Amino acid sequence: MIARDGSRVGVRVRGRTAEIFLARHAITPGDAIEHVPAPRDRRAFAQLQAKGIVRKVGANRYWYNVPAALADAEALSRRMVLTSLVLALSVAGIAMLFYRS
């Protein structure tokens, strides 16, 4: 992927669907590919469509929206950081209850 300043940027993706679309460079509506998800990937594919990460152009023609995927990954990261912080503070609080000087 090329950043706005012209430098190369790596994009880390998860899942077979993302790998398929990025390997075939289907990242714009003009690059859409024909795709029918495997039975084991249908649920994940439907979730990606619901989030707007995989977009439909025509009959069984889809493309992978990289900015939407990156925004979704960033939102997940923010939620995980908040959850981890709350969990760490809870463990510390419980530990302090058992501390006696």
Side-chain angles (χ1 to χ4, degrees), residues 20-38:
I20 291 168
F21 282 89
L22 294 178
R24 297 181 63 192
H25 201 267
I27 57 172
T28 65
D31 297 328
I33 60 171
E34 271 193 47
H35 181 71
V36 177

mmCIF file of all heavy atoms in Angstrom, residues 20-38:
data_model
loop_
_atom_site.group_PDB
_atom_site.id
_atom_site.type_symbol
_atom_site.label_atom_id
_atom_site.label_comp_id
_atom_site.label_asym_id
_atom_site.label_seq_id
_atom_site.Cartn_x
_atom_site.Cartn_y
_atom_site.Cartn_z
ATOM 1 N N ILE A 20 -7.647 -13.084 0.409
ATOM 2 C CA ILE A 20 -8.076 -13.334 -0.974
ATOM 3 C C ILE A 20 -8.184 -12.025 -1.742
ATOM 4 O O ILE A 20 -7.670 -11.889 -2.850
ATOM 5 C CB ILE A 20 -9.428 -14.084 -0.990
ATOM 6 C CG1 ILE A 20 -9.238 -15.511 -0.473
ATOM 7 C CG2 ILE A 20 -10.036 -14.085 -2.386
ATOM 8 C CD1 ILE A 20 -10.537 -16.241 -0.182
ATOM 9 N N PHE A 21 -8.872 -11.048 -1.153
ATOM 10 C CA PHE A 21 -9.091 -9.785 -1.850
ATOM 11 C C PHE A 21 -7.801 -8.996 -2.047
ATOM 12 O O PHE A 21 -7.580 -8.421 -3.114
ATOM 13 C CB PHE A 21 -10.133 -8.941 -1.109
ATOM 14 C CG PHE A 21 -11.538 -9.389 -1.366
ATOM 15 C CD1 PHE A 21 -12.133 -10.351 -0.577
ATOM 16 C CD2 PHE A 21 -12.265 -8.857 -2.405
ATOM 17 C CE1 PHE A 21 -13.417 -10.783 -0.812
ATOM 18 C CE2 PHE A 21 -13.557 -9.269 -2.667
ATOM 19 C CZ PHE A 21 -14.135 -10.243 -1.861
ATOM 20 N N LEU A 22 -6.947 -8.961 -1.024
ATOM 21 C CA LEU A 22 -5.705 -8.211 -1.156
ATOM 22 C C LEU A 22 -4.723 -8.895 -2.097
ATOM 23 O O LEU A 22 -3.992 -8.215 -2.828
ATOM 24 C CB LEU A 22 -5.081 -7.982 0.214
ATOM 25 C CG LEU A 22 -5.905 -7.070 1.135
ATOM 26 C CD1 LEU A 22 -5.240 -6.935 2.487
ATOM 27 C CD2 LEU A 22 -6.150 -5.718 0.515
ATOM 28 N N ALA A 23 -4.713 -10.216 -2.112
ATOM 29 C CA ALA A 23 -3.829 -10.934 -3.027
ATOM 30 C C ALA A 23 -4.213 -10.664 -4.480
ATOM 31 O O ALA A 23 -3.349 -10.623 -5.362
ATOM 32 C CB ALA A 23 -3.871 -12.426 -2.743
ATOM 33 N N ARG A 24 -5.497 -10.464 -4.715
ATOM 34 C CA ARG A 24 -5.966 -10.190 -6.082
ATOM 35 C C ARG A 24 -6.134 -8.696 -6.341
ATOM 36 O O ARG A 24 -6.661 -8.298 -7.376
ATOM 37 C CB ARG A 24 -7.265 -10.951 -6.333
ATOM 38 C CG ARG A 24 -7.000 -12.465 -6.254
ATOM 39 C CD ARG A 24 -8.194 -13.302 -6.511
ATOM 40 N NE ARG A 24 -8.691 -13.119 -7.867
ATOM 41 C CZ ARG A 24 -9.880 -13.572 -8.253
ATOM 42 N NH1 ARG A 24 -10.649 -14.226 -7.419
ATOM 43 N NH2 ARG A 24 -10.281 -13.359 -9.499
ATOM 44 N N HIS A 25 -5.681 -7.865 -5.395
ATOM 45 C CA HIS A 25 -5.702 -6.406 -5.506
ATOM 46 C C HIS A 25 -7.098 -5.851 -5.783
ATOM 47 O O HIS A 25 -7.278 -4.926 -6.579
ATOM 48 C CB HIS A 25 -4.708 -5.912 -6.563
ATOM 49 C CG HIS A 25 -4.345 -4.481 -6.371
ATOM 50 N ND1 HIS A 25 -5.012 -3.470 -7.005
ATOM 51 C CD2 HIS A 25 -3.418 -3.889 -5.588
ATOM 52 C CE1 HIS A 25 -4.498 -2.310 -6.642
ATOM 53 N NE2 HIS A 25 -3.519 -2.543 -5.774
ATOM 54 N N ALA A 26 -8.101 -6.419 -5.127
ATOM 55 C CA ALA A 26 -9.483 -5.955 -5.285
ATOM 56 C C ALA A 26 -9.788 -4.938 -4.187
ATOM 57 O O ALA A 26 -10.536 -5.211 -3.254
ATOM 58 C CB ALA A 26 -10.440 -7.127 -5.228
ATOM 59 N N ILE A 27 -9.202 -3.736 -4.326
ATOM 60 C CA ILE A 27 -9.338 -2.732 -3.268
ATOM 61 C C ILE A 27 -10.049 -1.461 -3.736
ATOM 62 O O ILE A 27 -10.123 -0.487 -2.989
ATOM 63 C CB ILE A 27 -7.967 -2.378 -2.664
ATOM 64 C CG1 ILE A 27 -7.006 -1.887 -3.726
ATOM 65 C CG2 ILE A 27 -7.399 -3.576 -1.921
ATOM 66 C CD1 ILE A 27 -5.696 -1.345 -3.175
ATOM 67 N N THR A 28 -10.574 -1.474 -4.931
ATOM 68 C CA THR A 28 -11.386 -0.366 -5.416
ATOM 69 C C THR A 28 -12.575 -0.967 -6.175
ATOM 70 O O THR A 28 -12.510 -2.110 -6.622
ATOM 71 C CB THR A 28 -10.612 0.567 -6.368
ATOM 72 O OG1 THR A 28 -10.262 -0.156 -7.555
ATOM 73 C CG2 THR A 28 -9.359 1.122 -5.708
ATOM 74 N N PRO A 29 -13.635 -0.195 -6.358
ATOM 75 C CA PRO A 29 -14.773 -0.735 -7.112
ATOM 76 C C PRO A 29 -14.387 -1.176 -8.528
ATOM 77 O O PRO A 29 -14.932 -2.152 -9.050
ATOM 78 C CB PRO A 29 -15.759 0.432 -7.156
ATOM 79 C CG PRO A 29 -15.423 1.266 -5.969
ATOM 80 C CD PRO A 29 -13.938 1.123 -5.787
ATOM 81 N N GLY A 30 -13.424 -0.505 -9.121
ATOM 82 C CA GLY A 30 -12.984 -0.884 -10.459
ATOM 83 C C GLY A 30 -12.203 -2.185 -10.499
ATOM 84 O O GLY A 30 -12.104 -2.827 -11.544
ATOM 85 N N ASP A 31 -11.657 -2.585 -9.363
ATOM 86 C CA ASP A 31 -10.877 -3.824 -9.276
ATOM 87 C C ASP A 31 -11.679 -4.981 -8.695
ATOM 88 O O ASP A 31 -11.110 -6.015 -8.357
ATOM 89 C CB ASP A 31 -9.644 -3.612 -8.385
ATOM 90 C CG ASP A 31 -8.684 -2.583 -8.942
ATOM 91 O OD1 ASP A 31 -8.604 -2.484 -10.183
ATOM 92 O OD2 ASP A 31 -8.031 -1.893 -8.148
ATOM 93 N N ALA A 32 -12.983 -4.821 -8.565
ATOM 94 C CA ALA A 32 -13.823 -5.842 -7.928
ATOM 95 C C ALA A 32 -13.648 -7.200 -8.601
ATOM 96 O O ALA A 32 -13.421 -7.287 -9.804
ATOM 97 C CB ALA A 32 -15.289 -5.426 -7.984
ATOM 98 N N ILE A 33 -13.727 -8.238 -7.788
ATOM 99 C CA ILE A 33 -13.573 -9.597 -8.293
ATOM 100 C C ILE A 33 -14.828 -10.402 -8.007
ATOM 101 O O ILE A 33 -15.613 -10.075 -7.126
ATOM 102 C CB ILE A 33 -12.363 -10.313 -7.633
ATOM 103 C CG1 ILE A 33 -12.545 -10.388 -6.113
ATOM 104 C CG2 ILE A 33 -11.060 -9.644 -8.015
ATOM 105 C CD1 ILE A 33 -11.535 -11.259 -5.402
ATOM 106 N N GLU A 34 -15.002 -11.455 -8.802
ATOM 107 C CA GLU A 34 -16.088 -12.388 -8.522
ATOM 108 C C GLU A 34 -15.661 -13.240 -7.351
ATOM 109 O O GLU A 34 -14.550 -13.764 -7.320
ATOM 110 C CB GLU A 34 -16.360 -13.274 -9.730
ATOM 111 C CG GLU A 34 -17.367 -12.680 -10.665
ATOM 112 C CD GLU A 34 -17.873 -13.680 -11.677
ATOM 113 O OE1 GLU A 34 -18.225 -14.813 -11.276
ATOM 114 O OE2 GLU A 34 -17.899 -13.309 -12.840
ATOM 115 N N HIS A 35 -16.559 -13.356 -6.382
ATOM 116 C CA HIS A 35 -16.208 -14.128 -5.195
ATOM 117 C C HIS A 35 -17.451 -14.756 -4.590
ATOM 118 O O HIS A 35 -18.452 -14.077 -4.375
ATOM 119 C CB HIS A 35 -15.533 -13.229 -4.157
ATOM 120 C CG HIS A 35 -15.120 -13.946 -2.916
ATOM 121 N ND1 HIS A 35 -14.088 -14.835 -2.886
ATOM 122 C CD2 HIS A 35 -15.629 -13.911 -1.659
ATOM 123 C CE1 HIS A 35 -13.959 -15.320 -1.660
ATOM 124 N NE2 HIS A 35 -14.890 -14.769 -0.899
ATOM 125 N N VAL A 36 -17.374 -16.037 -4.345
ATOM 126 C CA VAL A 36 -18.402 -16.752 -3.597
ATOM 127 C C VAL A 36 -17.678 -17.371 -2.405
ATOM 128 O O VAL A 36 -16.799 -18.214 -2.587
ATOM 129 C CB VAL A 36 -19.076 -17.847 -4.458
ATOM 130 C CG1 VAL A 36 -20.082 -18.620 -3.631
ATOM 131 C CG2 VAL A 36 -19.717 -17.236 -5.688
ATOM 132 N N PRO A 37 -18.011 -16.930 -1.186
ATOM 133 C CA PRO A 37 -17.272 -17.428 -0.026
ATOM 134 C C PRO A 37 -17.493 -18.923 0.194
ATOM 135 O O PRO A 37 -18.575 -19.453 -0.089
ATOM 136 C CB PRO A 37 -17.830 -16.604 1.136
ATOM 137 C CG PRO A 37 -19.141 -16.096 0.672
ATOM 138 C CD PRO A 37 -19.055 -15.972 -0.816
ATOM 139 N N ALA A 38 -16.456 -19.558 0.706
ATOM 140 C CA ALA A 38 -16.564 -20.971 1.068
ATOM 141 C C ALA A 38 -17.570 -21.090 2.213
ATOM 142 O O ALA A 38 -17.789 -20.135 2.959
ATOM 143 C CB ALA A 38 -15.196 -21.489 1.503
#
